[in-house]
Amino acid sequence: MTAFDEIKLTQMAKRAGCAAKHPPGYLLPLLGLLPALTDPNVLVGSATADDAAVYKLSDELALVLTTDFFTPIVDHPYDFGAVAAANALSDVYAMGGRPLAALNLVGFPEDLLPPAVLGEILRGAAAKAQEAGIDIVGGHTIKTDEPIFGLAVVGTVHPQKVLTNAGAQPGDRLILTKPIGIGIITTAAKGGEDKLGAIREAIAVMSTLNRQAAEVITEMGAHAVTDVTGFGLLGHLRNMTAASQVSAEIWLARVPVLAAAWDYVRAGVAPGGTHANWRFLADWVTYAADIDKEEQLVLADAQTSGGLLVAVAADQADAMLSALHQAGVTAAQMVGRITNTSEPGHINVSRG
Ligand code: CO
Ligand code: CO
């Protein structure tokens, strides 16, 4: 027991983690109303639904800029801080970048929770930042009705080595580096229905940095990379295939899934964000006749701090997969391939 075992942060959150994200398609029409980007040094902006912006400083050096924050996805304040930090850092890794420093973004209900809870959130985040080899150098705190936490992260990348959503090519293999099903498990835990105690494993997955995976991927070279968060595996793959003007195929039997997620989704548990993803994906995804609704929901499940999804040349895919396993990214699997250019953004799901 610690002083924080009584705290149930998720009970204060109306929507948890990346499931609190607006559904795909919500922001895009609004971005269209804003002035077009004019600075030629913006190498990656908001046009391709990428993970982070990239700003060129010189021919050798570019900044990676990103922010991510959300309401509690887990009950313990320390875990919440660690997960939120790992999630925010992930967008730098997903661009092929190396984080430099970060700032805390905090909303805290000071009349509902003692300040020590915020201290634990910040301590969890600081530990993750340390693991990433960076310091958290400042931040900003406001009063809110629910706790909100995340980071703004700055990193660097070589301007020629930026990994975006947009480079996937027909024939590429797709590798996913973490298991999915996190949204389903955290929703079960929040509702007191985590009978299998799967939340511990889910927290371990969420608080694992994508650092090791990113090091292997940047060293070996990939055509396109994104991290799998609120839009789910299929939603982020849809963004990748649309930006790359290609279509793709997912092999369900190869997709790593946290085992308890199957039990819970079949018992009717899935976050609202997952259902929203599934509805949005109806226009983009063709499921084989033997893929049932629950399997479709798992593939669309809103993740928090999920793994990297990589499109890599077919002749390098096996080598990358073994290098990932050797680097400790043991859950990594080859989950599908990029097919052709005739239906940009389209995905076929088969059992595989
Ligand atoms: Co991302
Ligand atoms: Co993000």
Side-chain angles (χ1 to χ4, degrees):
M1 283 289 279
T2 74
F4 301 100
D5 283 350
E6 301 300 309
I7 306 274
K8 294 264 179 283
L9 282 187
T10 61
Q11 299 310 314
M12 307 183 70
K14 291 190 204 79
R15 294 167 202 85
C18 285
K21 211 163 165 167
H22 283 297
Y26 181 87
L27 272 180
L28 279 179
L30 304 178
L31 293 178
L33 302 174
L34 301 176
L37 304 184
T38 52
D39 187 334
N41 291 318
V42 177
L43 301 183
V44 179
S46 44
T48 51
D50 244 300
D51 297 295
V54 179
Y55 190 90
K56 185 171 131 180
L57 294 176
S58 72
D59 288 344
E60 307 292 311
L61 190 65
L63 289 178
V64 181
L65 307 167
T66 186
T67 183
D68 242 303
F69 54 85
F70 45 63
T71 52
I73 182 83
V74 290
D75 282 326
H76 270 246
Y78 183 95
D79 291 336
F80 176 41
V83 167
N87 178 69
L89 284 159
S90 176
D91 281 327
V92 174
Y93 296 129
M95 302 304 289
R98 212 169 50 85
L100 278 186
L103 301 169
N104 288 317
L105 303 176
V106 185
F108 196 69
E110 53 163 30
D111 41 353
L112 301 177
L113 291 170
V117 169
L118 177 54
E120 279 296 283
I121 296 172
L122 298 176
R123 217 165 60 80
K128 273 300 140 187
Q130 229 164 25
E131 200 184 313
I134 67 163
D135 291 322
I136 296 178
V137 295
H140 187 69
T141 306
I142 61 165
K143 296 176 197 171
T144 48
D145 294 337
E146 325 171 52
I148 296 171
F149 183 71
L151 299 178
V153 190
V154 176
T156 55
V157 67
H158 190 287
Q160 248 97 61
K161 292 182 179 160
V162 179
L163 296 171
T164 71
N165 258 337
Q169 296 170 23
D172 284 356
R173 295 300 186 265
L174 292 166
I175 292 176
L176 175 65
T177 67
K178 283 187 187 181
I180 61 173
I182 287 165
I184 291 164
I185 290 173
T186 54
T187 300
K190 181 175 159 139
E193 293 171 78
D194 181 22
K195 297 178 189 75
L196 302 167
I199 190 66
R200 290 313 319 170
E201 193 186 0
I203 289 171
V205 171
M206 286 187 283
S207 50
T208 299
L209 290 179
N210 281 326
R211 180 183 183 170
Q212 274 73 24
E215 279 170 6
V216 170
I217 291 158
T218 47
E219 192 178 311
M220 300 187 76
H223 290 156
V225 179
T226 189
D227 60 347
V228 175
T229 55
F231 303 149
L233 171 60
L234 291 180
H236 288 280
L237 179 58
R238 206 264 356 157
N239 286 347
M240 180 187 280
T241 51
S244 303
Q245 294 290 297
V246 294
S247 52
E249 194 173 273
I250 285 289
W251 310 317
L252 173 67
R254 303 272 209 103
V255 176
V257 179
L258 293 168
W262 290 120
D263 293 271
Y264 298 156
V265 76
R266 296 212 181 282
V269 177
T274 296
H275 286 282
N277 289 341
W278 180 83
R279 286 191 297 273
F280 170 82
L281 288 161
D283 291 341
W284 298 95
V285 182
T286 306
Y287 301 96
D290 64 336
I291 309 288
D292 64 27
K293 171 80 186 279
E294 287 76 20
E295 291 168 326
Q296 298 175 20
L297 283 172
V298 166
L299 293 174
D301 187 35
Q303 306 297 287
T304 298
S305 193
L308 298 178
L309 176 67
V310 189
V312 56
D315 59 0
Q316 286 172 36
D318 285 319
M320 182 176 284
L321 194 59
S322 9
L324 284 166
H325 291 164
Q326 264 165 34
V329 188
T330 51
Q333 292 291 341
M334 209 177 300
V335 298
R337 65 187 183 104
I338 301 295
T339 44
N340 55 53
T341 54
S342 60
E343 284 179 286
H346 193 83
I347 301 166
N348 282 297
V349 175
S350 68
R351 191 147 309 268

PDB file of all heavy atoms in Angstrom, residues 51 91 227 229, ligand 1:
ATOM      1  N   ASP A  51       2.623  12.734 -37.139  1.00  0.00           N
ATOM      2  CA  ASP A  51       2.702  12.687 -35.682  1.00  0.00           C
ATOM      3  C   ASP A  51       3.263  13.960 -35.075  1.00  0.00           C
ATOM      4  O   ASP A  51       2.959  14.299 -33.939  1.00  0.00           O
ATOM      5  CB  ASP A  51       3.569  11.496 -35.254  1.00  0.00           C
ATOM      6  CG  ASP A  51       2.946  10.193 -35.686  1.00  0.00           C
ATOM      7  OD1 ASP A  51       1.867   9.881 -35.173  1.00  0.00           O
ATOM      8  OD2 ASP A  51       3.511   9.516 -36.557  1.00  0.00           O
ATOM      9  N   ASP A  91       5.674  10.545 -30.347  1.00  0.00           N
ATOM     10  CA  ASP A  91       5.514  11.246 -31.623  1.00  0.00           C
ATOM     11  C   ASP A  91       6.856  11.742 -32.179  1.00  0.00           C
ATOM     12  O   ASP A  91       6.996  11.899 -33.390  1.00  0.00           O
ATOM     13  CB  ASP A  91       4.513  12.399 -31.482  1.00  0.00           C
ATOM     14  CG  ASP A  91       3.071  11.893 -31.507  1.00  0.00           C
ATOM     15  OD1 ASP A  91       2.795  10.901 -32.211  1.00  0.00           O
ATOM     16  OD2 ASP A  91       2.220  12.496 -30.823  1.00  0.00           O
ATOM     17  N   ASP A 227       2.930   6.277 -35.096  1.00  0.00           N
ATOM     18  CA  ASP A 227       2.635   5.508 -33.894  1.00  0.00           C
ATOM     19  C   ASP A 227       1.124   5.289 -33.813  1.00  0.00           C
ATOM     20  O   ASP A 227       0.335   6.048 -34.363  1.00  0.00           O
ATOM     21  CB  ASP A 227       3.210   6.144 -32.613  1.00  0.00           C
ATOM     22  CG  ASP A 227       2.687   7.535 -32.331  1.00  0.00           C
ATOM     23  OD1 ASP A 227       2.069   8.150 -33.217  1.00  0.00           O
ATOM     24  OD2 ASP A 227       2.908   8.012 -31.203  1.00  0.00           O
ATOM     25  N   THR A 229      -2.135   5.325 -31.916  1.00  0.00           N
ATOM     26  CA  THR A 229      -2.745   5.897 -30.710  1.00  0.00           C
ATOM     27  C   THR A 229      -4.259   5.938 -30.894  1.00  0.00           C
ATOM     28  O   THR A 229      -4.874   4.908 -31.179  1.00  0.00           O
ATOM     29  CB  THR A 229      -2.103   7.262 -30.378  1.00  0.00           C
ATOM     30  OG1 THR A 229      -2.206   8.121 -31.509  1.00  0.00           O
ATOM     31  CG2 THR A 229      -0.641   7.104 -29.999  1.00  0.00           C
TER      32      THR A 229
HETATM   33 CO    CO B   1       1.275   9.942 -33.085  1.00  0.00          CO
END
